Amino acid sequence: MFYKPGSHRENGFKRDPFKAFVSPRPIGWISTINEHGQSNLAPYSFFNAVSADPPCVMFASGGRMDGKGKKDSQINAEQTGEFVCSIVGHDQREAMNQTSIHLPYGEDEMPNAGLEGEASKLVKPLRVKNAPVHLECKYMQSIQMPCWHEGRENWVIFGEVVGIHVDPKIIKDGLVDVTLYQPVSRLGYMDYSAVTELFQMDRPD
Ligand SMILES: Cc1cc2nc3c(=O)[nH]c(=O)nc-3n(C[C@H](O)[C@H](O)[C@H](O)COP(=O)(O)O)c2cc1C
């Protein structure tokens, strides 16, 4: 079958399947700090690495549900020029979900979810203690995307990774073994997956 974006209901879908098609998506657990020194943490599954040399990442923010502008993570990253992306392992899944709560601007989701922050080395935002990997990032730029909903905004926020923390427990023979922390990713609807199995393939040339 073929359908145009936005016409999923007329084509028999109960809910928009787009995010189920583009899956699994890694989750960037984005911590930021605002100009008053208040911390913020939230998960973003429109998140990915976009280059490796230098390593750069992006997260995309859909704007606040009440239509009142940008989400806190974007505001803070743009304001103070830094963010940290903690990687979500299977052990962090419940706490990660808890940090998606919409607290008033300036209130920190980290203690609210029973999490502790740890100082970063090169940037001010705290990283999530016990997460297997942390990417310390310098904000690069934001690009505004089209948005179908009047009064709402879609943005992509880019950052360069300037420092990386890795839990030594996930390193085996000089390689990262993702099965030791089982990165959690987002599928469609309310579905998630965790990496528990791997297979290898050699490139053709
Ligand atoms: C697993 C997961 C992934 C999410 N991914 C996104 C996303 O990619 N973009 C987005 O705008 N919101 C996403 N959300 C919702 C935000 O986390 C939520 O709106 C949060 O309150 C934003 O916080 P902030 O305003 O402190 O940045 C996601 C929520 C969950 C649980």
Side-chain angles (χ1 to χ4, degrees):
M1 70 180 280
F2 170 83
Y3 73 98
K4 284 192 169 175
S7 67
H8 51 276
R9 282 192 192 280
E10 295 98 277
N11 286 281
F13 291 106
K14 290 183 186 153
R15 295 181 60 189
D16 188 348
F18 176 67
K19 291 192 233 175
F21 298 145
V22 187
S23 69
R25 295 182 311 286
I27 299 172
W29 211 0
I30 307 295
S31 47
T32 51
I33 194 163
N34 67 17
E35 60 194 0
H36 309 294
Q38 295 168 308
S39 293
N40 192 83
L41 176 68
Y44 285 81
S45 72
F46 286 142
F47 164 79
N48 223 314
V50 291
S51 66
D53 48 359
C56 292
V57 295
M58 55 67 68
F59 67 96
S61 181
R64 288 165 54 113
M65 296 304 282
D66 60 9
K68 290 186 185 148
K70 298 172 179 175
K71 289 189 180 177
D72 301 351
S73 306
Q74 179 180 4
I75 295 173
N76 293 353
E78 291 174 347
Q79 207 173 74
T80 57
E82 297 175 337
F83 62 91
V84 173
C85 165
S86 297
I87 299 298
V88 181
H90 195 246
D91 289 349
Q92 289 82 40
R93 66 194 184 285
E94 297 285 354
M96 174 281 295
N97 191 33
Q98 192 59 35
T99 61
S100 70
I101 194 167
H102 296 104
L103 295 182
Y105 183 67
E107 284 185 29
D108 189 1
E109 291 81 4
M110 217 182 270
N112 187 66
L115 294 163
E116 270 182 66
E118 234 180 341
S120 298
K121 264 209 184 326
L122 303 175
V123 299
K124 285 201 189 71
L126 300 175
R127 52 209 173 96
V128 179
K129 194 173 177 176
N130 295 328
V133 178
H134 308 97
L135 309 175
E136 297 190 8
C137 300
K138 290 282 184 191
Y139 168 79
M140 293 167 67
Q141 61 169 315
S142 305
I143 294 180
Q144 188 159 20
M145 306 297 287
C147 185
W148 280 347
H149 306 282
E150 177 122 18
R152 294 211 10 221
E153 298 174 13
N154 289 327
W155 289 88
V156 186
I157 298 99
F158 292 89
E160 180 177 340
V161 179
V162 294
I164 300 175
H165 303 256
V166 194
D167 181 347
K169 289 201 284 290
I170 67 168
I171 304 172
K172 227 164 77 182
D173 299 330
L175 300 173
V176 169
D177 182 346
V178 296
T179 63
L180 295 176
Y181 65 100
Q182 302 182 346
V184 171
S185 55
R186 197 76 172 85
L187 309 173
Y189 317 114
M190 300 317 289
D191 297 336
Y192 291 83
S193 67
V195 179
T196 54
E197 270 175 46
L198 306 180
F199 61 89
Q200 280 77 36
M201 283 198 290
D202 287 329
R203 297 226 182 148
D205 51 12

